[in-house]
Amino acid sequence: MMRKFLLVALLAATPATADVPEVVTDHILPGVARFAQAAETLSITAARDCTADSVIPAYHAAFDAWLGISHLTFGPLETDGRGLTIAFWPDTRGVVGRTVAGLIAAQDPVVENPQAFQEVSIAGRGLFALERVLFGESYGPDHYACRLVQAQAGDLGRMAQAIDADWADYAQVMLSAGDPGNNIYLSAGEAGQALYTALMTGLEFNKDQRIGRPLGTFERPRPRRAEAYRSGRSLRNVALSLVALQDMVQALSDTATPATDDAFQTAFDQIESLDDPVFAGVSDPVGRLKVEILGQKIAFVQDAVTTEVGVPMGLSQGFNSADGD
């Protein structure tokens, strides 16, 4: 009986381990492939018909797919600043608008050369620069803006394909963590730590940036600081990001996470109750409260993940390139 008790105690004391292979094979690689496909469709669509009415549906599909992997701000997304180029936000100085306006005003021929376009400022490339054109002043098929859309969409397609190809190799780096010759992840624990940091940073970004920026202060709300408000995607981005992050939790943890599941569900319930796609209601006390509550629900998710995933696995949120510090 005593030996059985000691065995049970030993098993209970054994820390859980991050399921790196499942995260890589079931969460990351499929997500990267979806983004590559959606970005390629966006590029092809723009090449055929670059007018806004034609491109906008493909734009939304590509943005949706991006939110499935945007939290993976390491490895192939960090290479050459790809992640920041794809989604240059927050744009605290308004450089996206100025850069796009400058390209159009100058009728810059750089749009005719895909390789040269890669040297354009990241503020003139990616999803937010493309949003400026698609949801800005109307333009016709013969307008310079149409060629700019084609250049931006083609550039996104090429970056997405490169990320997809690079993740095929980087996946093996993560899966071989701790093996001789792996100089990036010296142990399996380091790979798990990288994934956990990306997960927690993704949750933090939703709370502090996607929710926090439009909230501003009670005296000075900032609805026009909401992410992708021009395309009406602000709340949608939060929802899709949380879906991806919940999927990552389920892949990362090798045990049940009931409190985390409940916390995610309460956040989704709050999103469903919001009839405010761009957080315009933050200027109204009642509407503001609903958005604040969503931020609180995301904070509850963070706490639950820490308790049910981080602590049992001996993981803590480390530095992430998206932290900006």
Side-chain angles (χ1 to χ4, degrees), residues 213-223 225 282-283 288:
R213 283 186 62 77
L215 276 173
T217 64
F218 186 83
E219 295 77 16
R220 194 176 184 185
R222 301 281 195 160
R225 288 187 176 179
V282 297
S283 298
R288 178 183 182 81

Side-chain angles (χ1 to χ4, degrees), residues 95-143:
V95 294
V96 171
R98 292 196 299 273
T99 301
V100 170
L103 288 168
I104 294 174
Q107 305 280 289
D108 195 321
V110 71
V111 298
E112 309 297 344
N113 186 327
Q115 185 171 0
F117 193 76
Q118 295 178 36
E119 302 303 317
V120 169
S121 162
I122 62 174
R125 302 162 61 195
L127 292 166
F128 291 96
L130 182 53
E131 179 192 42
R132 281 279 184 164
V133 186
L134 294 176
F135 297 90
E137 295 183 9
S138 61
Y139 61 88
D142 298 326
H143 194 278

